[in-house]
Amino acid sequence: MESTLGAGIVIAEALQNQLAWLENVWLWVTFLGDPKILFLFYFPAAYYASRRVGIAVLWISLITEWLNLIFKWFLFGDRPFWWVHESGYYSQAPAQVHQFPSSCETGPGSPSGHCMITGAALWPIMTALSSQVATRARSRWVLAGLITGAVLGWLMTPRVPVERELSFYGLTALALMLGSSLIYWTLFTLGLDLSWSISLAFKWCERPEWIHMDSRPFASLSRDSGAALGLGIALHSPCYAQVRRAQLGNGQKIACLVLAMGLLGPLDWLGHPPQISLFYIFNFLKYTLWPCLVLALVPWAVHMFSAQEAPPIHSS
């Protein structure tokens, strides 16, 4: 693992020092690969293109993010911005690497959420797109994501539930919270310090303001459990019942996406309570509302507005 991290530092130094003009490009790629963007953009975009694909993206996102959280507790992966100081490899010649707000995360670095979670959640999208390309090009070649994420996406896509009873979603949210809590306290009782990465992040991050509470491990848990519950509430809401059988046109789908982005963006940038426990509650409630907006409220509003704007049909 140390040789792997060392090779990564060499690559980072080369990119930052020799290709500095590509810095904004790589930061943008990092932003697009962030698992949180799955909820903010990829999920609503996929849902308005295909309801089944969108719901599959959401399910795979929250399940693989939960698995990523658990795996991090067992693998104890270092992050480069503290490893270069803690390892002792660079005591004689310090590594010439720069930190960024996106790199100063508090959770363990392995496995990579950008690869595992995003790769898995984008599998249904890539499968749908490659199917369309293969149909039009009459070819059997398809595109695939990264190996770990692709395998998880392939295993989970046929099994993702589209619509179940509301109690199923509530129990799923409860199982995610209780399951991770049980594993956490079991490891803690066995003497494992699962907060080791948080102390290292505060120790070695260049700027304290770069360390946000939403980078803490349990932030993803509150997001996933809230999204699971919100999905059930959305699918059983009166608004969703009115638009469930509606066939939205391309213009209406674009309007849904624009309106959803206009609502989800400010919701994502809302301030966080300073207390960590209140932050987790706030994050849970925010992501419970998330699927309700995408699946129910936004399509209902666009559908009702379009129906009111449509000219009346006169019988001859």
Side-chain angles (χ1 to χ4, degrees), residues 148-295:
T148 304
V151 171
L152 285 170
W154 176 75
L155 290 174
M156 295 171 60
T157 300
R159 298 171 177 82
V160 291
V162 179
E163 293 186 26
R164 298 284 185 87
E165 296 294 327
L166 181 58
S167 59
F168 170 81
Y169 301 93
L171 291 174
T172 299
L174 185 62
L176 292 175
M177 289 188 289
L178 293 181
S180 58
S181 299
L182 177 61
I183 295 173
Y184 178 89
W185 287 111
T186 299
L187 295 176
F188 181 80
T189 303
L190 293 176
L192 296 179
D193 180 17
L194 299 180
S195 63
W196 66 275
S197 62
I198 298 178
S199 60
L200 287 177
F202 277 97
K203 180 180 179 181
W204 294 115
C205 188
E206 290 183 359
R207 300 183 184 179
E209 64 270 19
W210 285 354
I211 300 180
H212 301 287
M213 283 191 289
D214 60 0
S215 70
R216 289 177 177 263
F218 277 107
S220 62
L221 174 63
S222 61
R223 174 166 59 234
D224 300 333
S225 54
L229 179 61
L231 177 60
I233 295 175
L235 292 175
H236 291 82
S237 66
C239 293
Y240 179 80
Q242 295 187 36
V243 298
R244 179 182 178 186
R245 303 296 182 185
Q247 296 294 329
L248 299 180
N250 292 332
Q252 292 174 309
K253 292 179 179 179
I254 295 175
C256 285
L257 181 59
V258 172
L259 180 57
M261 293 294 97
L263 294 173
L264 297 180
L267 182 62
D268 181 58
W269 286 101
L270 285 178
H272 302 309
Q275 297 83 3
I276 189 64
S277 57
L278 292 179
F279 164 75
Y280 288 142
I281 296 174
F282 176 82
N283 208 43
F284 175 85
L285 295 175
K286 181 172 70 172
Y287 282 95
T288 300
L289 178 61
W290 213 277
C292 296
L293 287 172
V294 176
L295 271 70

Side-chain angles (χ1 to χ4, degrees), residues 96-155:
Q96 300 298 318
V97 291
H98 308 290
Q99 293 184 19
F100 300 93
S102 59
S103 67
C104 285
E105 294 185 282
T106 61
S110 180
S112 168
H114 279 64
C115 294
M116 177 180 173
I117 303 168
T118 308
L122 292 182
W123 175 265
I125 298 177
M126 298 304 297
T127 301
L129 291 176
S130 60
S131 177
Q132 292 293 326
V133 172
T135 301
R136 296 185 180 184
R138 297 181 180 181
S139 172
R140 294 185 178 181
W141 291 98
V142 295
L143 301 176
L146 296 174
I147 295 176
T148 304
V151 171
L152 285 170
W154 176 75
L155 290 174

